[in-house]
């Protein structure tokens, strides 16, 4: 099987499932752990007359996936997130999903409806949906967003828009592999995914230094941008590796309150990931 595997029909429900690497299970396990550990705080926002607690997945895909090269099907992030909240008896009061592929989004929506999730679907570019959510969601609610795009294709405007919500934690996929493999090509382009991910980086990063140092400076600059938005808590990177221990991506928790970082640290220690900083 190749990296270009296509979506397949999941025999369990007849809907499309996306191809993922084996390491997706580790990501989903950390997501589940974090949601479970945060149940106490979430519970303060759930109940009659309370503001609510939402789960936002702006790159939701189809809600189910299969492990590349196998016939093993697993839940995708929107189903993992909802089921984790139900299993720990503090369910999210709203699930907000988005994907720019309408067919995949419809599959995720159908699956969530089937398991009685309070789901809303959007459809379109993540930065546009993030702006809409920031304007329309209850500003007094507790929000948790997963930003899990392919490669370094996460516009910083997505984070900027969501940061307008007073109580929001972000779990962000940052592709270490894309950054390492394509750094040279990206830095030579007039406009590349790096410019969307960390606007203004070219004025802040010295490309004359060794490549590894330049990449680290780039990430540190991005962290600085996050702190300018009010995410003052320590930013914690957890490295997900492949079968040969090669760096694949970081899961980065970004929050405005230190308690979220304590929860993430606890989840990561249980999951035994490697920290970048």
């Amino acid at each position: 099987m190749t990296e270009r595997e296509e979506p397949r029909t999941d025999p369990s429900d007849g809907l499309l499932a996306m191809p993922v690497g084996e390491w997706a299970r580790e990501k989903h396990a950390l997501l589940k752990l974090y949601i479970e550990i945060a149940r106490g705080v979430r519970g303060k926002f759930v109940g009659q007359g309370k503001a609510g607690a939402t789960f936002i997945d702006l790159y939701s895909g189809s809600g189910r996936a299969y492990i590349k090269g196998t016939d093993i099907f697993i839940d995708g992030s929107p189903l993992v997130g909802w089921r984790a909240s139900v299993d720990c008896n503090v369910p999210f009061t709203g699930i907000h999903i988005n994907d720019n592929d309408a067919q995949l989004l419809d599959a995720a929506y159908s699956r969530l409806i089937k398991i009685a999730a309070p789901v809303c679907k959007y459809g379109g570019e993540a930065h546009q949906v993030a702006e809409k959510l920031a304007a329309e969601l209850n500003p007094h609610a507790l929000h948790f967003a997963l930003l899990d795009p392919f490669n370094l294709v996460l516009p910083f405007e997505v984070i900027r828009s969501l940061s307008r919500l007073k109580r929001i934690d972000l779990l962000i996929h940052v592709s270490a592999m894309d950054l390492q493999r394509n750094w040279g090509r990206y830095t030579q382009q007039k406009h590349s995914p790096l410019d969307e991910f960390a606007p203004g980086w070219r004025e802040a990063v010295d490309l004359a230094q060794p490549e590894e140092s330049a990449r680290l400076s780039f990430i540190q600059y991005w962290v600085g941008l996050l702190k300018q938005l009010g995410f003052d808590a320590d930013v914690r990177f957890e490295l997900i590796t492949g079968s040969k221990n090669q760096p694949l991506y970081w899961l980065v928790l970004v929050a405005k309150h230190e308690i979220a970082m304590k929860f993430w640290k606890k989840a990561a220690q249980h999951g035994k990931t490697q920290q970048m900083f």
Side-chain angles (χ1 to χ4, degrees):
M1 307 294 279
T2 70
E3 292 293 325
R4 295 183 178 275
E5 291 185 53
E6 297 295 328
R8 289 163 47 187
T9 300
D10 185 339
S12 70
D13 59 14
L15 299 173
L16 287 180
M18 297 293 296
V20 296
E22 172 66 32
W23 49 86
R25 288 173 159 172
E26 185 175 359
K27 173 176 62 182
H28 293 160
L30 284 170
L31 173 63
K32 182 175 185 293
L33 274 170
Y34 182 80
I35 290 170
E36 290 172 347
I37 292 168
R39 63 187 178 275
V41 171
R42 189 168 62 254
K44 297 177 181 179
F45 293 83
V46 174
Q48 187 67 32
K50 296 184 179 180
T54 73
F55 178 60
I56 301 166
D57 192 339
L58 294 184
Y59 300 87
S60 66
S62 59
R64 287 278 287 172
Y66 69 92
I67 305 298
K68 292 178 182 179
T70 77
D71 292 320
I72 299 171
F73 288 80
I74 62 173
D75 279 349
S77 54
L79 271 71
V80 169
W82 168 244
R83 283 180 164 147
S85 72
V86 171
D87 290 346
C88 64
N89 298 314
V90 190
F92 290 110
T93 57
I95 306 291
H96 300 270
I97 61 171
N98 174 68
D99 200 278
N100 58 13
D101 185 311
Q103 191 175 15
L104 299 180
L105 181 62
D106 286 346
Y109 181 77
S110 296
R111 286 171 166 135
L112 286 162
I113 287 291
K114 188 175 181 179
I115 57 176
V119 60
C120 295
K121 68 173 181 176
Y122 298 86
E125 296 299 325
H127 69 279
Q128 295 172 335
V129 176
E131 185 175 6
K132 179 180 177 68
L133 289 172
E136 296 181 357
L137 292 181
N138 188 331
H140 305 293
L142 181 68
H143 306 286
F144 175 45
L146 174 67
L147 305 179
D148 188 17
F150 290 105
N151 299 328
L152 283 173
V153 292
L154 175 62
F156 195 75
E157 287 306 310
V158 171
I159 300 173
R160 192 187 306 278
S161 291
L162 293 177
S163 73
R164 288 158 48 195
L165 294 165
K166 182 179 180 180
R167 298 182 182 90
I168 186 164
D169 302 336
L170 308 175
L171 184 56
I172 306 173
H173 169 162
V174 178
S175 178
M177 179 177 290
D178 191 17
L179 189 65
Q180 183 171 347
R181 284 185 174 179
N182 297 309
W183 175 261
R185 179 165 61 88
Y186 285 161
T187 56
Q188 292 173 16
Q189 293 174 352
K190 186 175 181 180
H191 189 85
S192 76
L194 301 181
D195 299 285
E196 296 292 327
F197 184 83
W201 73 273
R202 294 179 189 271
E203 289 72 43
V205 177
D206 179 10
L207 293 177
Q209 63 186 311
E211 183 176 310
E212 184 175 354
S213 298
R215 291 199 305 268
L216 179 59
S217 295
F218 173 80
I219 291 296
Q220 290 173 333
Y221 171 75
W222 179 69
V223 169
L225 293 180
L226 296 173
K227 292 187 178 296
Q228 289 175 23
L229 295 178
F231 293 109
D232 294 327
D234 288 338
V235 178
R236 187 179 176 93
F237 287 67
E238 300 298 337
L239 181 64
I240 306 297
T241 57
S243 57
K244 299 179 180 178
N245 207 37
Q246 72 274 31
L248 297 175
Y249 58 87
W250 297 289
L251 285 178
V252 186
L253 189 79
V254 176
K256 297 181 179 180
H257 198 290
E258 284 294 341
I259 194 169
M261 305 312 299
K262 292 179 180 178
F263 293 160
W264 180 236
K265 182 178 180 180
K266 186 175 180 180
Q269 287 175 338
H270 191 279
K272 298 179 181 178
T273 58
Q274 303 175 44
Q275 189 179 6
M276 177 183 178
F277 299 124

